[in-house]
Amino acid sequence: MTLNRTSRRISTSHFCLAFVLVSSPALAVEEVVFEEQTVEEEGTPKGEILVIGTRIAGSVETDVPPTDTLNEADIAAVGGSSVADVLAAIAPQTGSGRGRGSGPPIILLNGQRISSFRELRDLPPEAIKQVQIFPEEVALQYGFRPDQRVVNFILKDNFASFSAEVDYSIPEKGGFSTKEFENTLTRIGKSTRLNIDIEFESSSRLTEDERNVLSSGTSAPYALAGNVTGLGVGGEIDPALSALAGRTVTIAAVPGSATLAGFAANANQIASGDIGEFRTLLPSQQRFEVNTSWSKMLAPQTNMSFSASFEQQDQQSQLGLPFASLIVPGGSAFSPFASNVRLNRYFDNPRPFSRTSSNRSLQFGAGFNTVIADWKLALTADYQLSKSESRTFTNADTSALNAAITAGTVNPFAANLGRDLLFAAPDTTKGTAAPIELRGTLSGKPFTLPAGPVLLTLRTGFDRKTFDTSAFRRGITTDVSLRRNNTNAAFNLEVPLIERGLGALGGIGSLSINGNMGFTDVSDVGMLIEYGAGLRWSPIESLSLSASIIGDENAPSLSQLGNPFQVTPNAAVFDFTRGESRFVDLVSGGNPALVAESRRDFKVSADWTPKFVEGLSLQLEYFKNKSRNTTAAFPLLTSEIEAAFPGRVTRDLNGQLVRVDQRPVNFDREESQRIRWSFNMSGGIGKQPQGGFGGAPGGGRPPGAGGPGAGGPPGAGRPSGAGGGGGGRGPMAMMAGGGQPSRWSLALSHTIRLQEEILIRPGVPVLDLLNGSATSSLGGAPRHDLTLSGGVFAKGMGMRLEGSYRSATRVDGNSLTGTSDLRFSDLASLNAFFFVSLDQRGKLTQKLKWLRGSRIAFRIQNVFADVIDVRDDAGRVPLSYQPGLLDPQGRVFEFSFRKRF
């Protein structure tokens, strides 16, 4: 497609040089058209050459410059095995600060919409020619809301590969391991594309005792329901109780007991019981997946695609031992105490608590893209059928046992106590979800203004979602059936007002505006609207400034409304009201009382690509968000949260926490302000392959394609893949020594939170997440968040580092009850990835031919083994915040072997 805007004018000598470079097979783009025209504009010499170029095939057609562009050499330096790995590596560049947090980016394939990310997720990175990353505003022209960045993957025209990969990972502390096997077949031809991927993954379980997680402490207020192995008299362990290690838990006596002091003293001399072997930190799981995609070019500008996938995942968890709270009468033949004693007793027969779950998913997608009279039409469809089942084995009925102990006919300390208990039928849940999404977008240029063409995008869609669940608990079955139809339509208009260098105002640079409006009719909610407007100004070629405002309304999801009711026993929770950790029942499921939320965002940003530093791009952004009736997971149970949701908390007669209902809730209002700055930088190491449109050899980002405000469209300055390190496997690269050029890259993003406030409902205090309030189990909102990604690739060997940092936070205690504050330390996490492409390591593959096409990789997850350190004012760690609970894996080593055939 030929650009409909004035191009840069170059001299005849530059034109000849460009012609030589473009005509080289190793450097050619898909199509470049040069026209020699006589320019009649006043003040312009006649006979000057006017060059009209085309974008690299598959590029996004927009005047908004990408924030970053990766060529083949950059992609090879990532060392990934799939498109998903590449996307994970560039996460610092693709995250959006709009809304209440960073969401996943919008994914395009060759500049076109796809039915779902599954269509290209498993493609090998060797099949990618270029990756373009665009700001949120570009999402509008593809029919999406402008709250996600856009990533466009451009594929090679001719590629074939079959690969097999084996991964094995194990933590430094042991306890579990993960094994993964994957095979991928890819065929990309002139008019077809086929990809088939098969994966199997298996992980063993990790239990609490393998991370030395304590179930009780010796000093209040951090003792979870006791956990003492036996009762002693006179400072000695009763021999009859020695076989009960880890099976008997003693808490307290009835108030007024004269023997409590002696009882506590004896109890403290006895080793703490251990039920950790019956509680999993990480479940054992197995996952099998098959993913396929196929595409066919029907005409030069028309193609269709289909995708299908099947996934099954099974998990097995242990939730602790059955237990009973027993009253041992004082003075009985079985009690050394004169008064009644309350005894909490664990049983290891007939079985521990456990939960098994199974999830199966079947997905189909289809896409169709064509051009009708210079208007681009994109149609996509996606259907998914998901089924889930779970079975939870819960406690027995101990009322008869308690009555027998009270009557003095049963010894509560007997080793075989509880073996004749009749356990209740397991709780079960079943769910089926079947959403279908149909989308259509039409974009074109209805007319042209002096500053350039006006771009109009029309979007329409229809969604139907069905959600059926059935939950069985304690003999009662609860069925939920939800249906929702969603019809939506929207438009976006982009209008260029001023073109740099043209007309009386051309000296101020390029200026354009955009606006969008949409309507969604949700069958069970009503009419919802979305709107937005934006302005973009590029005063100079390397600088772009923009401002935008968006607003939308969103209905809660069907799963948030109707997930099955489920109770998880023996879950560790810190009680901020009493300042103690407890084992409680956690309730999860849907909340049918949720209402639709509304959101308004304001964003101002600046993008700068300084010419004096090659390959550098800088971004500065400011976000302000205000949302009403937001739907959120139930927050951390602080005293403020309990006061706002008193009906969600159940306590016993002593005020101790026994049950928390964690089903989702609506917050009345959320407000936030953030500043984010980031930079991306990359370049070559040593001598690089020569060539390209006027860029320095080995440049990491094509001029005009990687920086804001470029005079031409993305890719017009120097087509990536046409030299300068972009070809990688072309003749120029081979002449330079073979294999991929040596590269380095670095990306850093820093978010500074200025405001994070939540009003749960009118009449209660505002939660200031930056100053002592919290909704997350990891404390309040960190003032600073950083993400880092960088690497080096040379002579077939590569290293990548991926890091993140969050600053410290705190949660205020209850001033009325005198409970302590909790302080959460900062967290610095770093992952390291090393790999070797054996084809580029001398003559090794010539001697061992079976190693041709092989790559060996070694990954270290959490290099520093860092974990958030949580302490109260006295420096103590609450049991529910033990390091083994916060990060069960710790430092993990992963080995990988991949071979392409």
Side-chain angles (χ1 to χ4, degrees), residues 329-387:
S332 69
F334 307 114
S335 174
F337 302 107
S339 61
N340 293 347
V341 174
R342 181 179 298 275
L343 177 73
N344 283 3
R345 173 76 186 260
Y346 286 132
F347 310 101
D348 61 351
N349 285 295
R351 59 176 178 266
F353 291 159
S354 63
R355 173 175 294 158
T356 59
S357 61
S358 176
N359 296 276
R360 299 182 302 279
S361 176
L362 185 64
Q363 179 270 338
F364 297 97
F368 177 79
N369 290 271
T370 190
V371 175
I372 303 175
D374 293 332
W375 286 75
K376 294 182 179 180
L377 175 65
L379 304 174
T380 60
D382 188 69
Y383 172 76
Q384 185 171 348
L385 177 63
S386 301
K387 292 189 175 183

Side-chain angles (χ1 to χ4, degrees), residues 158 226 447 715 878:
N158 200 359
F447 55 91

Side-chain angles (χ1 to χ4, degrees), residues 117-163:
F117 180 51
R118 288 182 291 267
E119 187 172 330
L120 77 156
R121 179 191 62 192
D122 299 314
L123 285 171
E126 295 86 357
I128 306 172
K129 178 188 296 184
Q130 190 181 95
V131 180
Q132 300 172 321
I133 305 171
F134 292 92
E136 295 87 341
E137 290 75 14
V138 175
L140 287 168
Q141 73 181 67
Y142 287 92
F144 296 98
R145 295 178 179 179
D147 55 1
Q148 299 164 280
R149 290 198 170 183
V150 177
V151 180
N152 180 38
F153 290 90
I154 302 175
L155 300 183
K156 296 178 180 177
D157 300 324
N158 200 359
F159 179 84
S161 172
F162 175 74
S163 64

